[in-house]
Amino acid sequence: IMSENNSLVYVVDNETLSIDYCDSMTVSDKQKQKLYKKKCYYESSKRPYVNQITLNSDNLIIGLRFKIRPNYPAIELKLKKNINYN
């Protein structure tokens, strides 16, 4: 995946599979967490999806949701709430 201006270009074996267009990144605070969101639109259908990074109050990444390949669901990773970082 390559980021160019406000677009995401999906390339496999030097072949461009899709180019999706995105709004600017937004940042919001929610329950001691910081959410970074980027709303993008599928090239073919203009249907929206959201890529997101979630940080906890210590600014550690605790969640990711990203589309990594066209025509497949986004991958989502989250940490369990009771993990001790020390």
Side-chain angles (χ1 to χ4, degrees), residues 9-58:
V9 182
Y10 296 88
V11 178
V12 174
D13 296 329
N14 293 322
E15 179 183 340
T16 299
L17 300 179
S18 178
I19 301 173
D20 295 349
Y21 300 95
C22 303
D23 296 339
S24 296
M25 177 84 65
T26 62
V27 181
S28 61
D29 292 315
K30 185 177 180 181
Q31 299 175 1
K32 298 183 182 181
Q33 295 179 347
K34 193 170 279 190
L35 302 175
Y36 290 84
K37 292 183 179 181
K38 184 173 246 189
K39 187 174 186 178
C40 299
Y41 304 87
Y42 289 94
E43 176 185 43
S44 58
S45 67
K46 305 296 184 233
R47 194 175 79 237
Y49 63 91
V50 176
N51 290 328
Q52 179 176 301
I53 301 169
T54 306
L55 304 179
N56 67 9
S57 59
D58 295 321

Side-chain angles (χ1 to χ4, degrees), residues 55-66:
L55 304 179
N56 67 9
S57 59
D58 295 321
N59 284 326
L60 298 174
I61 295 173
I62 59 169
L64 296 170
R65 180 175 25 150
F66 277 89

